C-alpha cells in the first residue's frame, strides 16, 4: 500500500510500505476512506515530538471500512463503516476504567501516528478495536465524521469541559484554527454570554464570527484590553489556549479574571513562563490535557442530528495520494486560508489474513 511516512524532522514522503496485518487478537485493519491532517502532525514534522521514530506512518484521524478483525474483537466486523479515534484504549488499566483513555497504561493512549503506524495511509491497523473505533451512522458524511476523530472531542473535552464553561460566562478563545473554532462551536452549547476569538489571521477571525464568536480581536492589538472593556475590567471567566506557543499561553493568563479558568489545549514545543507573581493571588485554575475521547459517542449523535457545523471547517479536499500537497496547504494556512483539509483515496485490495 501507499502511506505518508515520517523520515525525521523536515523529511517525509508518500511511498510504498507493507500492508498492515493483525498482530494482536484485539486488532482491526481498516481501509481508509477519509483522513485529515492535524496541527500535531506539523509539530512532529518540525521535530517537536521526539518520540516519533523515523519510518513511522503519520496520522491519527480517519474514517474507513473494517476489512479484517482479530479473534477477540466483538463490536465490529468486516464491512462496518467506522470512525477511527485518535486515542486507543485498552479498557483494562486504572486510567481507562476512569474514562481517562488518553493516559492509558495498557498499550493505548495516543499511539497512532506517534508510537505505532498511523492513519495517513490506504490501510491502518487499529489496536484495541472494540474501544478505539466507533460505528458510523449512514447520515454522517465521511468528511464530516473525520473531524470527530480528534478536533471536536479535543476542543470539547480539553477546552470547554476542562474550562467549565457555564451559562452567562465570558469565554475567550486564543487561536482560531480548527481546534479553536471547534471550541467556539461547542462552547455555545453551554449558553455563555459572549465568546471572543483572538487570532492573527483575518480569515480565521471571519470564520470564528461565522461559527458563533460574538467578538473578535487581532492578537497584535492588545486583546486583553477588549476583554477588560467587555467585562468591566474583570477579565474572562474562561480562556482557552489553542495555539501552543509561549506568547499565547502567557496572553491567556493575562486575560482571565480572578477565580477564572485557563484551559490549555495547544501542543507546546517550548517552555512558557508561568507568572505566579501575578497569578498566586487570583484563585486562577489552569488545566492541561490530552483528549480522552470519552465524548465521541455524544458528539457523533449530535453530528447525526445536524447540531455540529463540522462541514464548515473543511476548506480543502484532496485525493489521498496528494498528501504532500495537502500538507503544504495546511502548513501555509496564513496564505491559503486552510482550516481543515480532508483527503480521500481509492480502494486498494488487501489480502485477508488469518487471525
Amino acid at each position: 500500500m501507499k502511506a505518508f511516512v515520517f523520515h525525521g524532522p523536515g523529511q517525509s514522503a508518500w511511498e510504498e510500505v507493507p500492508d498492515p496485518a493483525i498482530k494482536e487478537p484485539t486488532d482491526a485493519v481498516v481501509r481508509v476512506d477519509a483522513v485529515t491532517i492535524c496541527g500535531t502532525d506539523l509539530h512532529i514534522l518540525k521535530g517537536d515530538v521526539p518520540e516519533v521514530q523515523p519510518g513511522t506512518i503519520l496520522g491519527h484521524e480517519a474514517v474507513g471500512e473494517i476489512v479484517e478483525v482479530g479473534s477477540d474483537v466483538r463490536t465490529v466486523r468486516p464491512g462496518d463503516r467506522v470512525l477511527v479515534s485518535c486515542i486507543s484504549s485498552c479498557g483494562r488499566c486504572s486510567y481507562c476504567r476512569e474514562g481517562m483513555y488518553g493516559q492509558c497504561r495498557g498499550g493505548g493512549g495516543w499511539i497512532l501516528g506517534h508510537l505505532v503506524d498511523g492513519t495517513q495511509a490506504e490501510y491502518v491497523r487499529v489496536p484495541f478495536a472494540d474501544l478505539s473505533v466507533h460505528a458510523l451512522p449512514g447520515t454522517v458524511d465521511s468528511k464530516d465524521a473525520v473531524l470527530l476523530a480528534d478536533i471536536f472531542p479535543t476542543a470539547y473535552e480539553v477546552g470547554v469541559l476542562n474550562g467549565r464553561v457555564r451559562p452567562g460566562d465570558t469565554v475567550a478563545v486564543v487561536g482560531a484554527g480548527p481546534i479553536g473554532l471547534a471550541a467556539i462551536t461547542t462552547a455555545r452549547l453551554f449558553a455563555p454570554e459572549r465568546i471572543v476569538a483572538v487570532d492573527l489571521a483575518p480569515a480565521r477571525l471571519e470564520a470564528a464570527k461565522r461559527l458563533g464568536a460574538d467578538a473578535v480581536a487581532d492578537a497584535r492589538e492588545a486583546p486583553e484590553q477588549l476583554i477588560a472593556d467587555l467585562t468591566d475590567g474583570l477579565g474572562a471567566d474562561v480562556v482557552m489556549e489553542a495555539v501552543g506557543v509561549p506568547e499565547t499561553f502567557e496572553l491567556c493568563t493575562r486575560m482571565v479574571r480572578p477565580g477564572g479558568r485557563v484551559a490549555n489545549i495547544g501542543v507546546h514545543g517550548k517552555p512558557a513562563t508561568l507568572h505566579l507573581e501575578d497569578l498566586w493571588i487570583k484563585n486562577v485554575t489552569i488545566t492541561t490535557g490530552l483528549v480522552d475521547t470519552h465524548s465521541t459517542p455524544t458528539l457523533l449523535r449530535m453530528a447525526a442530528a445536524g447540531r455540529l457545523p463540522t462541514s464548515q471547517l473543511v476548506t480543502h479536499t484532496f485525493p489521498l495520494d496528494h498528501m504532500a500537497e495537502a500538507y503544504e496547504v495546511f502548513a501555509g494556512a496564513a496564505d491559503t486560508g486552510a482550516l481543515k483539509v480532508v483527503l480521500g483515496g481509492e480502494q486498494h485490495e488487501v489480502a485477508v489474513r488469518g487471525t
Side-chain angles (χ1 to χ4, degrees), residues 36-244:
T36 185
I37 301 170
C38 179
T40 306
D41 297 320
L42 299 183
H43 281 281
I44 292 171
L45 287 177
K46 291 177 183 177
D48 290 343
V49 189
E51 299 87 357
V52 182
Q53 296 298 307
T56 302
I57 298 170
L58 295 186
H60 49 267
E61 307 156 271
V63 168
E65 181 181 315
I66 300 283
V67 296
E68 185 180 1
V69 296
S71 58
D72 287 351
V73 175
R74 298 288 182 265
T75 61
V76 291
R77 60 185 179 180
D80 287 350
R81 180 169 169 262
V82 296
L83 171 71
V84 178
S85 175
C86 66
I87 297 296
S88 303
S89 167
C90 79
R92 297 179 177 180
C93 73
S94 60
Y95 282 105
C96 286
R97 287 175 181 270
E98 294 177 7
M100 297 175 63
Y101 309 128
Q103 304 302 323
C104 175
R105 290 298 182 265
W110 172 40
I111 57 174
L112 290 173
H114 181 206
L115 305 179
V116 303
D117 285 333
T119 59
Q120 290 171 4
E122 294 176 314
Y123 286 81
V124 58
R125 179 183 72 91
V126 181
F128 308 115
D130 278 333
L131 293 170
S132 305
V133 301
H134 301 268
L136 282 176
T139 54
V140 181
D141 185 84
S142 292
K143 81 175 188 337
D144 295 330
V146 75
L147 301 192
L148 302 177
D150 185 353
I151 70 161
F152 268 88
T154 294
Y156 182 58
E157 294 175 19
V158 185
V160 176
L161 296 185
N162 276 4
R164 305 200 311 274
V165 176
R166 297 177 294 201
D169 276 352
T170 291
V171 177
V173 179
V174 178
I179 289 286
L181 295 174
I184 289 168
T185 62
T186 50
R188 283 172 53 85
L189 301 172
F190 291 84
E193 180 181 357
R194 62 175 69 87
I195 300 174
V196 181
V198 179
D199 202 281
L200 293 170
R204 291 194 166 189
L205 293 176
E206 284 299 318
K209 286 193 284 187
R210 290 196 304 271
L211 288 165
D214 301 287
V216 298
D218 189 313
R220 293 161 294 203
E221 298 178 0
E224 52 265 67
Q225 185 59 54
L226 172 62
I227 295 295
D229 292 343
L230 291 171
T231 60
D232 294 326
L234 275 179
D237 300 278
V238 182
V239 187
M240 302 182 207
E241 200 285 339
V243 181

Side-chain angles (χ1 to χ4, degrees), residues 200-352:
L200 293 170
R204 291 194 166 189
L205 293 176
E206 284 299 318
K209 286 193 284 187
R210 290 196 304 271
L211 288 165
D214 301 287
V216 298
D218 189 313
R220 293 161 294 203
E221 298 178 0
E224 52 265 67
Q225 185 59 54
L226 172 62
I227 295 295
D229 292 343
L230 291 171
T231 60
D232 294 326
L234 275 179
D237 300 278
V238 182
V239 187
M240 302 182 207
E241 200 285 339
V243 181
V245 298
E247 295 80 6
T248 51
F249 175 79
E250 292 168 29
L251 171 64
C252 289
T253 63
R254 295 195 301 271
M255 296 169 67
V256 68
R257 69 164 174 83
R261 287 88 66 195
V262 175
N264 183 87
I265 315 172
V267 177
H268 289 263
K270 296 180 180 179
T273 301
L274 181 62
H275 288 282
L276 284 176
E277 73 277 13
D278 297 323
L279 295 172
W280 74 270
I281 202 170
K282 294 179 68 174
N283 292 28
V284 170
T285 299
I286 298 175
T287 59
T288 66
L290 175 67
V291 63
D292 293 312
T293 65
H294 62 75
S295 67
T296 301
T298 298
L299 295 172
L300 274 172
R301 291 195 301 272
M302 295 181 65
R307 296 298 182 92
L308 293 178
T310 49
S311 60
Q312 294 184 45
L313 274 70
V314 178
T315 54
H316 295 75
T317 57
F318 299 88
L320 190 61
D321 59 1
H322 285 51
M323 192 69 69
E325 179 185 355
Y327 262 90
E328 289 180 7
V329 169
F330 185 62
D335 298 318
T336 64
L339 294 176
K340 285 299 280 185
V341 301
V342 173
L343 301 96
E346 296 180 359
Q347 295 188 17
H348 163 81
E349 295 300 325
V350 64
V352 177

